[in-house]
Amino acid sequence: MKYLVRAVKYFFWFVILFSAILGVFILMKLVEPSPESLFRNGMQSVWQIAGLFAVVAAFYPRLAYATRNAVIPGDPSETRDGIVSLMEDRGYELESSDGDGMSFRLSSSFGRLKRLWEDRVTFTRTMEGYALEGPNKDIVRLISALEMKFNRSQYE
């Protein structure tokens, strides 16, 4: 269900962004405001573009969100404070914590808006550390920082 919600959000985001760009062109009087003059095939092109946005939005969540493992040795009670401080340094705030799992959200409202409120990073305890779930580019950076912080002896 979460995947479908993300796909729908991105579809509407693409439509809004495309409409805003066309709106700027129309306001600057670079193009006529009718679909027949904007596009080669008129309204048929509008439906083709909407179909293209639907296809891209359907695949985008699979590429943009992932679950990856971070190797963090030690007891969860010992590593929890270090994880929370690192996440706060990166602009996240602790949303919830239950047993061995934690959930973080961006503390900036503007940052959350830029990501369409899909900014949650979830930590789930595994045998070798934690499994992080969230935006792919964020969790790759976070895993690197976490492993560097908690496995410092391996890197020295």
Side-chain angles (χ1 to χ4, degrees), residues 11 46-56:
F11 173 77
V46 172
W47 297 116
Q48 291 170 350
I49 292 169
L52 176 69
F53 288 166
V55 169
V56 171

PDB file of all heavy atoms in Angstrom, residues 11 46-56:
ATOM      1  N   PHE A  11       3.269  10.792  -9.210  1.00  0.00           N
ATOM      2  CA  PHE A  11       2.539  11.112 -10.433  1.00  0.00           C
ATOM      3  C   PHE A  11       1.996  12.537 -10.356  1.00  0.00           C
ATOM      4  O   PHE A  11       2.184  13.333 -11.279  1.00  0.00           O
ATOM      5  CB  PHE A  11       1.386  10.126 -10.670  1.00  0.00           C
ATOM      6  CG  PHE A  11       0.509  10.523 -11.818  1.00  0.00           C
ATOM      7  CD1 PHE A  11       0.921  10.313 -13.127  1.00  0.00           C
ATOM      8  CD2 PHE A  11      -0.715  11.125 -11.604  1.00  0.00           C
ATOM      9  CE1 PHE A  11       0.132  10.695 -14.195  1.00  0.00           C
ATOM     10  CE2 PHE A  11      -1.519  11.505 -12.668  1.00  0.00           C
ATOM     11  CZ  PHE A  11      -1.097  11.292 -13.965  1.00  0.00           C
ATOM     12  N   VAL A  46      -1.231  15.296 -24.684  1.00  0.00           N
ATOM     13  CA  VAL A  46      -1.432  15.456 -23.243  1.00  0.00           C
ATOM     14  C   VAL A  46      -1.622  14.089 -22.591  1.00  0.00           C
ATOM     15  O   VAL A  46      -1.030  13.795 -21.549  1.00  0.00           O
ATOM     16  CB  VAL A  46      -2.637  16.382 -22.960  1.00  0.00           C
ATOM     17  CG1 VAL A  46      -2.972  16.406 -21.478  1.00  0.00           C
ATOM     18  CG2 VAL A  46      -2.360  17.790 -23.472  1.00  0.00           C
ATOM     19  N   TRP A  47      -2.427  13.237 -23.212  1.00  0.00           N
ATOM     20  CA  TRP A  47      -2.654  11.894 -22.662  1.00  0.00           C
ATOM     21  C   TRP A  47      -1.390  11.040 -22.745  1.00  0.00           C
ATOM     22  O   TRP A  47      -1.114  10.229 -21.860  1.00  0.00           O
ATOM     23  CB  TRP A  47      -3.826  11.215 -23.363  1.00  0.00           C
ATOM     24  CG  TRP A  47      -5.105  11.946 -23.130  1.00  0.00           C
ATOM     25  CD1 TRP A  47      -5.870  12.573 -24.063  1.00  0.00           C
ATOM     26  CD2 TRP A  47      -5.751  12.167 -21.880  1.00  0.00           C
ATOM     27  NE1 TRP A  47      -6.953  13.171 -23.473  1.00  0.00           N
ATOM     28  CE2 TRP A  47      -6.903  12.931 -22.120  1.00  0.00           C
ATOM     29  CE3 TRP A  47      -5.471  11.801 -20.571  1.00  0.00           C
ATOM     30  CZ2 TRP A  47      -7.769  13.339 -21.115  1.00  0.00           C
ATOM     31  CZ3 TRP A  47      -6.338  12.202 -19.563  1.00  0.00           C
ATOM     32  CH2 TRP A  47      -7.469  12.954 -19.840  1.00  0.00           C
ATOM     33  N   GLN A  48      -0.607  11.225 -23.800  1.00  0.00           N
ATOM     34  CA  GLN A  48       0.649  10.483 -23.911  1.00  0.00           C
ATOM     35  C   GLN A  48       1.634  10.908 -22.816  1.00  0.00           C
ATOM     36  O   GLN A  48       2.329  10.073 -22.227  1.00  0.00           O
ATOM     37  CB  GLN A  48       1.267  10.695 -25.292  1.00  0.00           C
ATOM     38  CG  GLN A  48       0.478  10.040 -26.402  1.00  0.00           C
ATOM     39  CD  GLN A  48       0.958  10.463 -27.785  1.00  0.00           C
ATOM     40  OE1 GLN A  48       1.761  11.392 -27.930  1.00  0.00           O
ATOM     41  NE2 GLN A  48       0.459   9.780 -28.815  1.00  0.00           N
ATOM     42  N   ILE A  49       1.698  12.195 -22.561  1.00  0.00           N
ATOM     43  CA  ILE A  49       2.577  12.703 -21.511  1.00  0.00           C
ATOM     44  C   ILE A  49       2.104  12.198 -20.148  1.00  0.00           C
ATOM     45  O   ILE A  49       2.915  11.780 -19.318  1.00  0.00           O
ATOM     46  CB  ILE A  49       2.642  14.248 -21.551  1.00  0.00           C
ATOM     47  CG1 ILE A  49       3.361  14.698 -22.822  1.00  0.00           C
ATOM     48  CG2 ILE A  49       3.329  14.794 -20.307  1.00  0.00           C
ATOM     49  CD1 ILE A  49       3.252  16.180 -23.108  1.00  0.00           C
ATOM     50  N   ALA A  50       0.797  12.211 -19.914  1.00  0.00           N
ATOM     51  CA  ALA A  50       0.257  11.691 -18.652  1.00  0.00           C
ATOM     52  C   ALA A  50       0.579  10.206 -18.505  1.00  0.00           C
ATOM     53  O   ALA A  50       0.914   9.742 -17.396  1.00  0.00           O
ATOM     54  CB  ALA A  50      -1.251  11.921 -18.582  1.00  0.00           C
ATOM     55  N   GLY A  51       0.505   9.457 -19.577  1.00  0.00           N
ATOM     56  CA  GLY A  51       0.874   8.044 -19.532  1.00  0.00           C
ATOM     57  C   GLY A  51       2.341   7.844 -19.205  1.00  0.00           C
ATOM     58  O   GLY A  51       2.702   6.951 -18.433  1.00  0.00           O
ATOM     59  N   LEU A  52       3.197   8.679 -19.791  1.00  0.00           N
ATOM     60  CA  LEU A  52       4.623   8.616 -19.496  1.00  0.00           C
ATOM     61  C   LEU A  52       4.875   8.923 -18.019  1.00  0.00           C
ATOM     62  O   LEU A  52       5.649   8.228 -17.359  1.00  0.00           O
ATOM     63  CB  LEU A  52       5.395   9.600 -20.379  1.00  0.00           C
ATOM     64  CG  LEU A  52       6.880   9.713 -20.104  1.00  0.00           C
ATOM     65  CD1 LEU A  52       7.588   8.431 -20.510  1.00  0.00           C
ATOM     66  CD2 LEU A  52       7.458  10.905 -20.832  1.00  0.00           C
ATOM     67  N   PHE A  53       4.210   9.950 -17.487  1.00  0.00           N
ATOM     68  CA  PHE A  53       4.345  10.272 -16.064  1.00  0.00           C
ATOM     69  C   PHE A  53       3.883   9.107 -15.193  1.00  0.00           C
ATOM     70  O   PHE A  53       4.493   8.820 -14.167  1.00  0.00           O
ATOM     71  CB  PHE A  53       3.545  11.525 -15.710  1.00  0.00           C
ATOM     72  CG  PHE A  53       4.134  12.813 -16.225  1.00  0.00           C
ATOM     73  CD1 PHE A  53       3.387  13.958 -16.237  1.00  0.00           C
ATOM     74  CD2 PHE A  53       5.435  12.877 -16.697  1.00  0.00           C
ATOM     75  CE1 PHE A  53       3.904  15.152 -16.701  1.00  0.00           C
ATOM     76  CE2 PHE A  53       5.967  14.063 -17.172  1.00  0.00           C
ATOM     77  CZ  PHE A  53       5.202  15.206 -17.166  1.00  0.00           C
ATOM     78  N   ALA A  54       2.808   8.429 -15.588  1.00  0.00           N
ATOM     79  CA  ALA A  54       2.294   7.292 -14.818  1.00  0.00           C
ATOM     80  C   ALA A  54       3.309   6.148 -14.794  1.00  0.00           C
ATOM     81  O   ALA A  54       3.522   5.521 -13.754  1.00  0.00           O
ATOM     82  CB  ALA A  54       0.957   6.827 -15.391  1.00  0.00           C
ATOM     83  N   VAL A  55       3.935   5.882 -15.930  1.00  0.00           N
ATOM     84  CA  VAL A  55       4.929   4.806 -15.992  1.00  0.00           C
ATOM     85  C   VAL A  55       6.138   5.146 -15.122  1.00  0.00           C
ATOM     86  O   VAL A  55       6.616   4.307 -14.345  1.00  0.00           O
ATOM     87  CB  VAL A  55       5.349   4.539 -17.455  1.00  0.00           C
ATOM     88  CG1 VAL A  55       6.564   3.624 -17.526  1.00  0.00           C
ATOM     89  CG2 VAL A  55       4.193   3.953 -18.234  1.00  0.00           C
ATOM     90  N   VAL A  56       6.634   6.364 -15.234  1.00  0.00           N
ATOM     91  CA  VAL A  56       7.793   6.769 -14.433  1.00  0.00           C
ATOM     92  C   VAL A  56       7.442   6.749 -12.946  1.00  0.00           C
ATOM     93  O   VAL A  56       8.221   6.255 -12.119  1.00  0.00           O
ATOM     94  CB  VAL A  56       8.301   8.162 -14.870  1.00  0.00           C
ATOM     95  CG1 VAL A  56       9.358   8.685 -13.911  1.00  0.00           C
ATOM     96  CG2 VAL A  56       8.849   8.111 -16.285  1.00  0.00           C
TER      97      VAL A  56
END
